[in-house]
Amino acid sequence: MSRGALSDNEIQTEMNKMVAFISQEAREKAREIQVKADEEFAIEKAKIVRQESLAIDAQYEKKRKQAETGWKISQSTALNNSRIQILKARNDHLNNLFEEAAKQVNSLSSGSEYAKALENLILEILLLLLSTEVTLSHRPKDADVVKKATNAALKRYKEMSGRESKVSYDGSLSDESAGGITGSTMGGRIKVDDTLEERLKILQEKMLPELREDLFGKNENRKFYN
Amino acid sequence: MTARIEPIPPPFFSPYLDDQCNKINSKPVPWEGYQRAKLLSADELNLLKSLAKIPTAQRPTVYASSGAQYARLYIDLLRKLQRVDTVQAVLVSINDMLVSDPSSTIPLFHSLATKENPDDPYAPIVKCLAMEEEFVILTSLKILGVLIATDSREFPYNLTGTLLASLQGLLNGSRIPLWEVAAQVLSAVLGTKQFRLAVWEEEQCISGLVKMLKTTSNPQNQYWAVSCLWQLSFERIAAEGMNKRYDIVALLTGVAKAAVKEKVLRVIISTFRNLLTIAPSQSLPSFFTSKVLQFVITLQDRKWSDEDIPEDLSYLKSELSARLENLTTYDELISELDSGHLVWGPVHESEDFWKENAMRIGQESGGKAVKRLVELLKNSREPVVLAVAAHDLGFYIRYGGDKAKQIVTDLGGKTRVMELMTSQDPDTRYQALMCTQLLMSQHV
């Protein structure tokens, strides 16, 4: 290098140029790094946004399902409750009816039909038992009526079956009861209960379907009528 | 929760422009006259005069305290003024302000938008682009580049056209210093998706870059041009179309092979990486034709001072190798057919290969491959060739589409295959039988 040493100024200028050059190169690389970083950021952000919005959608769907189930449950519960209430009300009504009927049965024994009824009941007992020895239990106050009825019944019994029966009496039914008669044979081992209370019970049971229909209307769910 | 990140201004290097700025700075502007003409208020005049008195090194202090006022003032002046020399002076002042203390002055300009002027600070600067004076245009572009690259908000859409038109004019022009400014500004604005899409639409900008790449050997210009292309390639639609429109892969490979500076290779390799990742099917054929894989392998032997280069190179190598495997199998088949030496191998045995390529085999070059297969079936004496040919035809029929059976029959393949069912060689008989079965059946 035979040009001779550079002056201070020239050195300074040269150094400035080198610094500027290095700085420029560095800034260019820095920009490349920034561009790549921006791109990664955009991709990552989009991914996270998508993930989170899917999560939110799922959460919302879960909540909605829960709310729907809850609503369905309470609807169903309300429906069931109202059904039960209806059934209960109807049942109560029927029970009231029967209680009322039971009260009125008591007055039957003082009615004009009582003697004839007794005769028919006794006849039924005889026909059911078909025994030569029958014991009839009655209310003590019915003793006369029962004896008369028995005689009539025995005659009809003979006409219908050709049989005869020996009847003995015992006043073991309570005077407080509604009336009627029970029959037994074979030392009390076979019994027929024809008390008025028992007859009412049987009636209630047999009439229940018809009663329900008269009171509450036809049952829409019923399929068979035979 | 977002951290405030200081804007990093994009690099800008133009001694040409710097020279001109210095010249203009040495000519003082008669602001008093403007005040008398009522274009300036007394306060504004004071601002200008007081700044002019302070030496450049100490101006940051002024900007720190009253920077916002200066920013507002300069932009308003640009909006109002028409005379070239005053516009030049204002532009230089803005440039000085931005350069002296970028991190604090840039945001001042960003926040100038008001209800009356929602496009501030950009509209008045873009207006200057219409002036037919070189310095005004260049400095406006430079300022726009700096402001846009650091602005997190979107640039006004109605102004993009003007900006890009101005840029493309310089990029396609013949004056290098002007091209250099335009390329750097373009690179600066290509940081945003908005501009990547807009520039892709504005074809002339890109063709200006391509033109330079074809003609220059200046590494710095190469770097600037490829930088722009690289940033464009991040955008899917650009990555997919770039190669088809401009034959980018071939162009860049050429530039890379002759490049002297590492940074040029660096951006080219990064661009390849983007193309391969974002638009593989559009770029792969070109990668193949330009023999990029081989080039990458030779590059891996070199020592690089940048750490990212070897990483990108190894990515390119593994991706290209994996994908090229698929490609070569097809060509293997074609060359086997041409030579007439069919042998058992992965090409014939892989069902996936036929699933993907059967249609292509039947259609390319007017179904030449199929005709050749049938020809070999008819004429060859070697049992292996016959067996392979029959087998291949079977696959073709299965995956080659609805017409495949018909085509084979028309070529006389069906008759021949049936004959071969009685051949001496058991393998041939078997393959012929399978093939006949496929030809006959209604459902494949």
Side-chain angles (χ1 to χ4, degrees):
Chain A
M1 299 241 290
S2 52
R3 264 186 291 142
L6 298 167
S7 74
D8 277 347
N9 261 347
E10 287 168 332
I11 293 175
Q12 189 60 42
T13 321
E14 280 307 305
M15 277 196 41
N16 285 343
K17 277 199 210 158
M18 280 168 59
V19 166
F21 170 75
I22 294 173
S23 169
Q24 174 72 7
E25 295 280 289
R27 277 194 257 163
E28 283 174 351
K29 176 67 183 175
R31 173 136 178 98
E32 285 175 38
I33 295 175
Q34 184 187 21
V35 167
K36 288 193 226 178
D38 282 346
E39 205 57 32
E40 273 181 38
F41 166 74
I43 292 175
E44 196 61 27
K45 183 171 111 167
K47 187 172 97 175
I48 292 179
V49 163
R50 207 183 107 77
Q51 270 177 0
E52 289 305 306
S53 64
L54 282 178
I56 289 177
D57 280 345
Q59 253 185 8
Y60 175 77
E61 183 60 25
K62 195 168 145 192
K63 282 202 175 126
R64 195 191 63 82
K65 274 231 165 75
Q66 277 177 346
E68 198 179 317
T69 317
W71 178 81
K72 279 196 181 139
I73 288 177
S74 56
Q75 247 220 340
S76 167
T77 315
L79 196 65
N80 280 347
N81 280 347
S82 69
R83 281 201 190 123
I84 287 174
Q85 270 189 334
I86 290 177
L87 289 175
K88 187 166 178 313
R90 287 184 183 175
N91 229 32
D92 289 345
H93 187 66
L94 280 172
N95 285 341
N96 287 343
L97 225 61
F98 293 155
E99 271 172 29
E100 197 58 30
K103 283 190 196 131
Q104 292 183 5
V105 159
N106 280 334
S107 51
L108 279 177
S109 49
S110 32
S112 47
E113 308 287 329
Y114 190 53
K116 191 69 182 165
L118 275 179
E119 187 188 312
N120 287 331
L121 289 176
I122 294 169
L123 177 60
E124 185 185 62
I125 290 172
L126 292 173
L127 285 169
L128 278 173
L129 291 177
L130 287 178
S131 171
T132 45
E133 286 181 9
V134 173
T135 310
L136 292 176
S137 313
H138 57 83
R139 295 189 302 183
K141 58 177 158 176
D142 287 341
D144 288 337
V145 178
V146 166
K147 283 210 179 74
K148 283 204 191 109
T150 312
N151 290 337
L154 279 171
K155 271 203 201 115
R156 285 166 71 190
Y157 181 53
K158 179 131 192 233
E159 278 167 29
M160 286 167 86
S161 67
R163 295 172 193 243
E164 286 182 350
S165 190
K166 181 161 167 276
V167 177
S168 47
Y169 301 94
D170 93 51
S172 59
L173 290 188
S174 157
D175 258 347
E176 311 296 322
S177 74
I181 203 123
T182 70
S184 62
T185 183
M186 301 196 81
R189 286 199 282 272
I190 303 184
K191 284 199 194 155
V192 177
D193 186 338
D194 260 346
T195 55
L196 292 190
E197 287 97 343
E198 188 61 25
R199 300 289 310 181
L200 178 62
K201 243 200 250 174
I202 295 175
L203 190 66
Q204 282 175 348
E205 267 173 45
K206 288 234 161 90
M207 292 289 291
L208 213 43
E210 208 180 304
L211 276 176
R212 283 216 176 96
E213 197 170 309
D214 287 344
L215 287 173
F216 310 127
K218 264 179 129 48
N219 183 355
E220 283 150 9
N221 294 328
R222 184 173 172 181
K223 281 187 219 166
F224 305 106
Y225 280 91
N226 51 356
Chain B
M1 229 194 58
T2 37
R4 277 236 64 211
I5 302 178
E6 306 257 298
I8 306 172
F12 191 86
F13 180 74
S14 177
Y16 178 78
L17 199 53
D18 292 341
D19 269 348
Q20 299 196 355
C21 281
N22 288 335
K23 289 198 188 112
I24 289 175
N25 253 332
S26 58
K27 296 187 293 186
V29 178
W31 291 117
E32 290 81 355
Y34 284 90
Q35 202 237 333
R36 281 197 294 273
K38 296 286 197 280
L39 285 164
L40 276 181
S41 75
D43 288 329
E44 291 171 338
L45 180 63
N46 278 336
L47 277 177
L48 292 169
K49 282 176 64 174
S50 56
L51 190 66
K53 288 198 192 112
I54 301 175
T56 325
Q58 285 155 21
R59 287 186 188 172
T61 341
V62 180
Y63 297 136
S65 56
S66 14
Q69 290 173 290
Y70 280 101
R72 161 67 53 213
L73 174 58
Y74 291 144
I75 295 297
D76 283 342
L77 286 175
L78 281 182
R79 203 193 332 270
K80 291 191 276 199
L81 300 176
Q82 308 287 1
R83 279 182 51 148
V84 172
D85 51 356
T86 22
V87 167
Q88 287 177 338
V90 175
L91 286 173
V92 170
S93 309
I94 297 178
N95 183 53
D96 287 346
M97 188 170 159
L98 290 174
V99 164
S100 68
D101 187 6
S103 44
S104 36
T105 54
I106 291 179
L108 296 173
F109 283 92
H110 287 162
S111 36
L112 285 178
T114 61
K115 232 168 52 160
E116 299 90 47
N117 297 307
D119 291 340
D120 274 9
Y122 299 115
I125 310 176
V126 173
K127 180 169 98 100
C128 297
L129 292 176
M131 286 191 185
E132 298 199 344
E133 201 280 315
E134 177 188 296
F135 178 80
V136 167
I137 294 177
L138 291 181
T139 321
S140 303
L141 286 175
K142 177 185 173 187
I143 295 171
L144 282 168
V146 169
L147 291 179
I148 293 173
T150 46
D151 198 344
S152 51
R153 300 166 308 160
E154 277 202 341
F155 182 75
Y157 268 99
N158 50 325
L159 300 174
T160 1
T162 323
L163 173 55
L164 290 181
S166 184
L167 281 174
Q168 73 88 351
L170 299 179
L171 289 169
N172 283 300
S174 49
R175 297 202 42 213
I176 307 280
L178 306 193
W179 184 94
E180 291 178 351
V181 169
Q184 293 182 76
V185 172
L186 185 61
S187 178
V189 302
L190 276 174
T192 69
K193 191 183 173 88
Q194 175 192 7
F195 271 97
R196 286 174 191 171
L197 291 171
V199 170
W200 176 247
E201 300 276 299
E202 174 52 75
E203 297 187 323
Q204 299 292 354
C205 281
I206 308 176
S207 52
L209 297 170
V210 170
K211 195 172 89 169
M212 175 58 80
L213 278 176
K214 288 189 180 158
T215 53
T216 193
S217 49
N218 177 338
Q220 189 58 54
N221 289 357
Q222 289 175 334
Y223 175 77
W224 281 326
V226 181
S227 267
C228 290
L229 295 173
W230 172 57
Q231 291 184 89
L232 265 174
S233 70
F234 278 105
E235 202 52 50
R236 173 172 300 275
I237 183 174
E240 287 174 351
M242 216 188 278
N243 193 39
K244 187 153 176 234
R245 257 196 230 170
Y246 304 103
D247 206 12
I248 282 293
V249 172
L251 175 63
L252 289 179
T253 314
V255 174
K257 286 187 175 160
V260 269
K261 291 204 85 180
E262 182 175 305
K263 66 184 185 184
V264 174
L265 279 157
R266 184 172 76 211
V267 271
I268 291 181
I269 291 170
S270 293
T271 312
F272 281 166
R273 184 171 180 154
N274 273 6
L275 288 176
L276 190 55
T277 325
I278 300 174
S281 41
Q282 289 84 348
S283 329
L284 267 178
S286 301
F287 278 127
F288 186 55
T289 328
S290 301
K291 300 199 171 18
V292 171
L293 178 53
Q294 289 87 324
F295 182 49
V296 162
I297 293 174
T298 49
L299 285 178
Q300 282 187 312
D301 283 335
R302 279 200 228 172
K303 265 197 120 132
W304 304 102
S305 52
D306 187 310
E307 304 173 334
D308 290 333
I309 297 185
E311 203 184 290
D312 282 349
L313 283 175
S314 74
Y315 171 83
L316 281 175
K317 171 157 167 238
S318 54
E319 268 304 301
L320 284 175
S321 309
R323 294 207 187 235
L324 252 35
E325 250 173 45
N326 217 355
L327 228 52
T328 38
T329 334
Y330 178 80
D331 297 297
E332 249 184 73
L333 173 68
I334 299 296
S335 59
E336 266 190 36
L337 283 174
D338 282 334
S339 69
H341 285 115
L342 293 182
V343 285
W344 286 114
V347 177
H348 304 280
E349 286 165 29
S350 152
E351 187 160 341
D352 286 333
F353 170 78
W354 284 92
K355 263 195 217 160
E356 282 175 33
N357 293 303
M359 300 267 353
R360 188 177 163 198
I361 289 171
Q363 282 159 10
E364 232 177 61
S365 323
K368 188 172 102 169
V370 184
K371 290 197 186 119
R372 180 78 181 134
L373 268 175
V374 176
E375 201 183 301
L376 285 171
L377 207 62
K378 285 187 191 163
N379 301 330
S380 173
R381 288 289 143 84
E382 292 169 67
V384 178
V385 173
L386 290 174
V388 174
H391 167 89
D392 281 1
L393 275 177
F395 264 162
Y396 171 65
I397 290 167
R398 216 197 281 172
Y399 295 116
D402 296 333
K403 297 263 182 59
K405 274 193 229 153
Q406 193 57 43
I407 294 174
V408 172
T409 313
D410 288 342
L411 290 170
K414 185 161 158 188
T415 330
R416 180 64 184 145
V417 155
M418 286 168 73
E419 280 172 23
L420 283 175
M421 283 205 291
T422 54
S423 133
Q424 300 273 13
D425 175 56
D427 209 21
T428 315
R429 281 206 299 274
Y430 174 73
Q431 295 297 345
L433 177 62
M434 300 307 291
C435 188
T436 316
Q437 196 180 52
L438 286 167
L439 273 170
M440 296 301 198
S441 70
Q442 297 294 341
H443 311 286
V444 183

